[in-house]
């Protein structure tokens, strides 16, 4: 049999673009480490760094490598061209900077031949220069070996829409006329969803079948285009996916899909749009596309998002990029310290989001509480008169938002702000934003399980009052709890916080509850970073996090136990 007549078991299509540093390792992982009969079809997309010359040399030395220049531009057309050249019974895809672990193709091939399924899906890892992790760790879809499934049998499979951790029957691919679109972003999600929906049966192998290299910068084939173009490209493809999956009319599949879109894929792109640089004077396609996508949403899944997140989606449909970005800053997006919005801007963002009809009444009230009430109550400076006047005027048509607390436990200061907004009393509103805070002059984490604090409350608040130390998770007032009594020691006020007082892992903000004969008020705590010290607490349950300098909000971080940290580290190394 001549090479032209050869029918390998698997054809692996590999598009390349400027991957000279990694392409040899990629090809070696397929040619030397896979115990199956295969051909590797490399389609180079206009590389300028020597990738083509390296691939051509491998093709000259090994007849299993077939090298082609791409006839067009982009990874999608390169993959389509590679499929046209494929002679194998089965089809696989890989990127030129990634790796295929030993035995991966053999495991998928054995399952496909045993079951007769159209597609086999395997597990995968991602890695960078500093870490290796398993994105599927919490996905049940890859937990066990299975054959003969449909997508509705295992909806979790829709959470992974990459093309490289699976094997297809070439005949199935061609009969379904599956093709990659020529778009700048997300060109594999529609063909993968098409295949998942069309496949008569699907197999799952729990083996690690692909190693995806996460590399920084804009040199990979999935490098991001401009924020607006990239998000618009993604949304056009996600709309097609939503319609394809909606045609199956399966509630569990719909719930899985929309949870993934709204909390992961769609959210990542929406944040990128909000934080991107917009081209002045150029109309964006994103608001219209986002509106169209959300019109197909599963309402129950959307309503379970926190109100601020719903607001970012709603503001995105309006093209209100600046307001969306400010809301992201206010919730501490990306792990950064929250930056409170200007109260008037916060009210305008709430009104705009509510006006889209995407937020139900409960979400509107929750958003107003988080962005406006807590914002004003937690200010370190009082509202000026103009801001108070404007805020009261904006709140007047929405008194129902402020009529009652949305939090199971309401802080006294929040209650004062709500009452002022309902009554329209600007003086009461200004008084409610006291413009004060208490200073932590010394904070020492000692003995690995506790923190000793020395406080300097304002004299006008502390005189004749009792002080209680409270903690809450930023942005979640319902988590508020007492964590210690503040005692007076001469001219000093001291408090101790034990790790057990904080019931869950993560960051806890600290404040004082001041109870005086004329009522209660909560006062935020701030600290100079230079005043925070660790004494044997670096590896303990309680520590301090944050890279800010100068005066910052006083917070403590409860770490997981040593056992849990070890277990997580081991999982990341799998």
């Amino acid at each position: 049999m001549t090479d032209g007549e050869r029918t390998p078991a698997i054809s692996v299509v590999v598009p390349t673009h400027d991957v000279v540093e990694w392409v040899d390792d990629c090809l070696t992982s397929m040619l030397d480490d896979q115990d199956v009969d295969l051909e590797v079809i490399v389609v180079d997309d206009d590389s300028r760094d020597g990738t083509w010359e390296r691939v051509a040399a491998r093709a000259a030395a090994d007849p299993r490598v077939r090298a082609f220049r791409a006839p067009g531009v982009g990874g999608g057309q390169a993959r389509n061209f590679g499929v046209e050249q494929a002679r194998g019974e089965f089809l696989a895809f890989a990127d030129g900077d990634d790796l295929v672990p030993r035995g991966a193709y053999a495991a998928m091939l054995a399952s496909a031949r045993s079951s007769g399924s159209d597609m086999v899906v395997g597990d995968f890892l991602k890695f960078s220069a500093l870490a290796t992790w398993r994105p599927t760790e919490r996905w049940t879809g890859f937990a066990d070996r299975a054959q003969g499934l449909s997508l509705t049998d295992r909806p979790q499979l829709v959470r992974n829409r990459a093309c490289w951790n699976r094997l297809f029957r070439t005949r199935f691919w061609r009969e379904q006329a599956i093709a990659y679109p020529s778009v700048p972003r997300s060109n594999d999600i529609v063909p993968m969803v098409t295949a998942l929906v069309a496949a008569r049966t699907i197999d799952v192998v729990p083996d690690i079948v692909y190693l995806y290299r996460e590399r920084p910068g804009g040199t990979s084939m999935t490098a991001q285009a401009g924020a607006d173009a990239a998000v618009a490209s993604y949304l056009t493809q996600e709309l097609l996916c939503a319609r394809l999956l909606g045609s199956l009319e399966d509630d569990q599949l719909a719930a899985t899909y929309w949870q993934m879109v709204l909390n992961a894929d769609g959210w990542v792109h929406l944040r990128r749009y909000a934080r991107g640089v917009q081209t002045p004077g150029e109309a964006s396609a994103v608001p219209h596309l986002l509106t169209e996508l959300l019109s197909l949403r599963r309402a129950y899944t959307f309503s379970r998002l926190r109100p601020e997140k719903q607001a970012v989606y709603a503001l995105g449909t309006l093209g209100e990029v600046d307001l969306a970005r400010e809301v992201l800053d206010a919730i501490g997006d990306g792990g950064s310290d929250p930056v409170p919005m200007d109260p008037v801007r916060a009210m305008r963002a709430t009104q705009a989001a509510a006006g889209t009809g995407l937020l139900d009444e409960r979400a509107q009230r929750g958003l107003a509480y988080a962005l406006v009430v807590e914002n004003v109550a937690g200010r370190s400076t009082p509202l000026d008169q103009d801001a108070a006047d404007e805020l009261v005027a904006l709140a007047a048509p929405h008194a129902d938002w402020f009529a009652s607390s949305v939090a199971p436990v309401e802080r006294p200061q929040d209650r004062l702000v709500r009452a002022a907004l309902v009554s329209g009393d600007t003086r009461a509103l200004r008084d409610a934003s006291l413009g004060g805070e208490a200073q932590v002059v010394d904070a020492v984490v000692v003995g690995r399980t506790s923190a000793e604090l020395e406080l300097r409350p304002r004299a006008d608040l502390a005189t004749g009052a009792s002080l209680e130390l409270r903690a809450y998770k930023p942005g979640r007032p319902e988590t508020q709890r007492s964590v210690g009594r503040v005692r007076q020691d001469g001219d000093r006020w001291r408090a101790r916080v034990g790790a057990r007082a904080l019931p869950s892992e993560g960051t806890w903000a600290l404040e004082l509850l001041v109870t005086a004969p004329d009522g209660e008020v909560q006062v935020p705590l701030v600290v100079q970073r230079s005043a925070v010290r660790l004494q044997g607490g670096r590896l303990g349950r309680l520590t301090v996090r944050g890279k800010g300098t100068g005066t910052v909000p006083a917070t403590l971080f409860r770490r997981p136990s040593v056992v849990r940290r070890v277990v997580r580290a081991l999982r990341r190394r799998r």
Side-chain angles (χ1 to χ4, degrees):
M1 180 181 290
T2 65
D3 184 64
E5 299 170 336
R6 175 173 169 262
T7 303
I10 301 175
S11 294
V12 185
V13 176
V14 184
T16 57
H17 175 74
D18 289 348
V19 288
V20 69
E21 295 181 53
W22 306 281
V23 70
D24 274 327
D25 288 342
C26 174
L27 295 175
T28 297
S29 74
M30 289 183 276
L31 298 171
D32 294 357
D33 295 343
Q34 306 303 318
D35 193 20
V36 297
D37 178 27
L38 53 73
E39 66 174 357
V40 179
I41 301 169
V42 182
V43 185
D44 188 69
D45 179 22
D46 196 31
S47 290
R48 302 297 179 89
D49 67 343
T51 297
W52 169 250
E53 290 75 14
R54 192 71 58 86
V55 170
R58 291 293 292 260
D62 190 329
R64 294 174 296 172
V65 179
R66 301 169 61 202
F68 299 90
R69 292 278 201 178
V73 178
Q77 63 79 33
R79 289 192 180 109
N80 291 335
F81 180 79
V83 170
E84 292 174 8
Q85 316 310 314
R87 301 176 297 201
E89 179 186 1
F90 292 89
L91 189 62
F93 299 94
D95 289 343
D97 52 349
D98 297 336
L99 301 171
V100 180
R102 184 182 297 275
Y105 290 141
M108 291 192 287
L109 184 62
S111 183
R113 284 181 167 165
S114 168
S115 67
S117 290
D118 292 324
M119 183 196 319
V120 182
V121 182
D123 206 347
F124 64 95
L125 298 177
K126 289 191 174 185
F127 70 99
S128 67
L130 300 175
T132 300
W133 64 100
R134 182 176 168 232
T136 61
E137 185 174 4
R138 297 183 180 179
W139 301 354
T140 57
F142 296 86
D144 57 285
R145 192 177 305 277
Q147 292 184 323
L149 300 171
S150 69
L151 178 57
T152 54
D153 292 331
R154 191 165 290 188
Q156 282 282 331
L157 291 176
V158 81
R159 294 191 64 174
N160 169 235
R161 300 179 293 178
C163 64
W164 26 250
N165 62 318
R166 55 197 78 206
L167 191 70
F168 307 89
R169 288 190 182 274
T170 305
R171 183 176 62 185
F172 160 74
W173 185 275
R174 289 173 174 162
E175 286 176 348
Q176 296 298 324
I178 301 172
Y180 292 90
S182 293
V183 294
R185 184 76 177 162
S186 308
N187 67 26
D188 52 355
I189 65 175
V190 171
M192 292 307 103
V193 169
T194 301
L196 285 167
V197 170
R200 292 168 301 173
T201 55
I202 304 165
D203 293 355
V204 175
V205 295
D207 309 63
I208 301 296
V209 301
Y210 200 78
L211 304 176
Y212 179 90
R213 187 189 306 270
E214 191 86 41
R215 52 191 175 97
T219 58
S220 71
M221 291 196 71
T222 56
Q224 298 178 346
D228 198 89
V231 177
S233 175
Y234 160 74
L235 289 171
T236 60
Q237 299 307 294
E238 198 64 87
L239 266 167
L240 294 172
C241 291
R243 291 173 179 139
L244 277 167
L245 294 166
S247 68
L248 296 181
E249 297 183 347
D250 185 271
D251 285 344
Q252 189 175 357
L253 177 61
T256 303
Y257 169 72
W258 283 107
Q259 192 277 336
M260 178 266 295
V261 170
L262 295 172
N263 283 297
D265 291 13
W267 180 244
V268 167
H269 285 85
L270 181 63
R271 290 169 59 242
R272 187 161 184 266
Y273 168 65
R275 297 207 177 279
V277 177
Q278 310 302 311
T279 304
E282 185 174 312
S284 171
V286 170
H288 171 73
L289 291 168
L290 184 59
T291 300
E292 194 171 352
L293 178 64
L294 292 178
S295 72
L296 305 175
R297 74 193 185 283
R298 191 172 187 262
Y300 175 70
T301 305
F302 187 80
S303 69
R304 295 183 68 184
L305 300 176
R306 61 187 289 189
E308 298 96 322
K309 209 166 184 178
Q310 294 184 46
V312 176
Y313 273 106
L315 293 168
T317 67
L318 300 172
E320 291 281 5
V321 179
D322 291 341
L323 285 176
R325 186 185 306 118
E326 290 173 41
V327 174
L328 287 172
D329 290 340
I331 64 177
D333 175 56
S336 60
D337 291 334
V339 179
M341 292 181 70
D342 172 82
V344 173
R345 295 277 292 172
M347 190 67 194
R348 292 192 183 281
T350 303
Q351 287 180 319
T356 64
L358 291 170
L359 281 67
D360 60 23
E361 182 181 348
R362 179 174 175 272
Q364 292 175 28
R365 291 178 59 234
L367 183 64
Y369 201 89
L371 293 188
V372 181
V373 174
E374 293 183 327
N375 181 332
V376 175
R379 287 176 60 84
S380 58
T381 57
L383 283 174
D384 61 45
Q385 188 61 54
D386 288 343
D389 290 341
E390 189 170 2
L391 197 54
V392 163
L394 291 171
H398 306 287
D400 55 314
W401 288 351
F402 308 104
S404 60
S405 172
V406 300
V409 179
E410 184 176 33
R411 299 182 297 183
Q413 206 76 356
D414 295 341
R415 185 166 59 249
L416 294 174
V417 173
R418 277 198 307 102
L421 290 171
V422 170
S423 66
D425 188 337
T426 58
R427 180 175 178 179
L429 185 62
R430 295 192 68 201
D431 289 344
S433 56
L434 289 178
E437 55 196 18
Q439 184 87 18
V440 178
V441 296
D442 192 36
V444 184
V445 177
V446 295
R448 300 189 176 187
T449 59
S450 66
E452 301 286 349
L453 308 176
E454 181 181 331
L455 312 176
R456 184 182 295 154
R458 288 166 38 202
D460 61 319
L461 289 176
T463 303
S466 64
L467 277 60
E468 180 184 300
L469 190 65
R470 301 182 75 83
Y472 65 97
K473 289 205 165 183
R476 295 177 55 191
E478 70 275 10
T479 62
Q480 179 190 187
R481 62 193 298 111
S482 173
V483 293
R485 185 174 60 86
V486 181
R487 65 188 186 279
Q488 189 169 11
D489 182 9
D491 59 350
R492 299 181 179 183
W493 293 85
R494 300 183 185 277
R496 178 182 178 278
V497 183
R500 290 184 178 179
L502 306 177
S504 61
E505 302 166 14
T507 299
W508 291 82
L510 301 177
E511 65 182 13
L512 283 180
L513 178 65
V514 181
T515 303
D518 58 348
E520 295 179 327
V521 65
Q522 86 276 0
V523 181
L525 283 173
V526 296
V527 63
Q528 279 282 336
R529 285 291 298 177
S530 59
V532 179
R533 294 175 288 140
L534 299 177
Q535 291 183 357
R538 190 173 299 278
L539 299 178
R541 299 297 299 278
L542 207 60
T543 187
V544 178
R545 280 192 176 176
K547 298 180 180 178
T549 57
T551 301
V552 297
T555 59
L556 290 173
F557 186 86
R558 175 170 171 171
R559 303 181 65 178
S561 67
V562 173
V563 172
R564 294 191 69 175
R565 296 204 295 271
V566 170
V567 169
R568 289 177 183 176
L570 291 174
R571 285 176 177 171
R572 286 195 294 268
R573 292 190 177 99
R574 288 177 183 174

